[in-house]
Amino acid sequence: MADEALFLLLHNEMVSGVYKSAEQGEVENGRCITKLENMGFRVGQGLIERFTKDTARFKDELDIMKFICKDFWTTVFKKQIDNLRTNHQGIYVLQDNKFRLLTQMSAGKQYLEHASKYLAFTCGLIRGGLSNLGIKSIVTAEVSSMPACKFQLSREVDNWISHSDIFWTISS
């Protein structure tokens, strides 16, 4: 319980610190969102390294997504993703009906515009984790009513990296 509270406080301070230290032009150009997403990307890479060191290899992309929705999400946010959908063509939608980083905010419509600040880190977290698992992706978040959130993951075409591809590149 204490580690969850610390994570929530750290995340809120991170968002606040990035926005307070930014100049007006950086906020308008979206550089603060980019900074937060890049922080999340690096953290996601590190967490996936730790979480997968003792796991068996994943069979396919869907297996990786299930790992993200169950094990990764549970470790970071203390609950599984509520819903995973895919079109089986590289697009996945992860839905969390009570996203921990948004539960502290009021459910009023006036706070929807501020939600993107609090989702950028998590988008980077997912993208970084997938990157270390060999999937280059674009992650976006959408909030229609607080604290529910949808993360859309779009795999970039032809970026699935298998271990044999890496070996072939190094060997040749």
Side-chain angles (χ1 to χ4, degrees), residues 7 72-79 99-101 122 125:
F7 175 69
F72 184 73
W73 210 260
T74 300
T75 304
V76 177
F77 297 110
K78 308 297 184 223
K79 68 182 282 296
F99 186 57
R100 294 253 193 258
L101 299 179
T122 306
L125 195 72

Side-chain angles (χ1 to χ4, degrees), residues 131-147:
S131 172
N132 255 16
L133 294 173
I135 301 174
K136 191 173 181 185
S137 61
I138 298 168
V139 180
T140 57
E142 174 188 326
V143 177
S144 53
S145 66
M146 301 276 254

Side-chain angles (χ1 to χ4, degrees), residues 105-172:
M105 297 175 71
S106 176
K109 293 276 186 196
Q110 70 269 26
Y111 295 105
L112 285 176
E113 67 186 50
H114 298 290
S116 62
K117 297 179 195 178
Y118 296 92
L119 297 172
F121 180 82
T122 306
C123 287
L125 195 72
I126 297 167
R127 196 172 62 84
L130 291 174
S131 172
N132 255 16
L133 294 173
I135 301 174
K136 191 173 181 185
S137 61
I138 298 168
V139 180
T140 57
E142 174 188 326
V143 177
S144 53
S145 66
M146 301 276 254
C149 180
K150 290 181 183 177
F151 295 94
Q152 182 170 327
L153 290 60
S154 304
R155 180 177 42 88
E156 292 185 11
V157 181
D158 297 324
N159 283 312
W160 179 262
I161 302 171
S162 68
H163 294 287
S164 59
D165 291 340
I166 294 170
F167 179 75
W168 185 84
T169 305
I170 295 170
S171 300
S172 54

Side-chain angles (χ1 to χ4, degrees), residues 23-70:
E23 297 174 7
Q24 185 61 29
E26 288 181 333
V27 173
E28 291 170 2
N29 293 335
R31 289 189 186 141
C32 293
I33 297 285
T34 303
K35 280 183 185 180
L36 289 166
E37 205 233 344
N38 287 337
M39 286 181 200
F41 182 84
R42 181 59 198 114
V43 171
Q45 286 180 317
L47 288 175
I48 282 293
E49 283 180 24
R50 287 187 61 199
F51 297 161
T52 59
K53 68 180 180 184
D54 296 327
T55 60
R57 249 188 204 168
F58 298 108
K59 293 181 289 189
D60 57 9
E61 192 174 280
L62 186 58
D63 206 27
I64 290 172
M65 292 303 166
K66 288 178 184 177
F67 174 82
I68 294 291
C69 292
K70 291 179 182 178

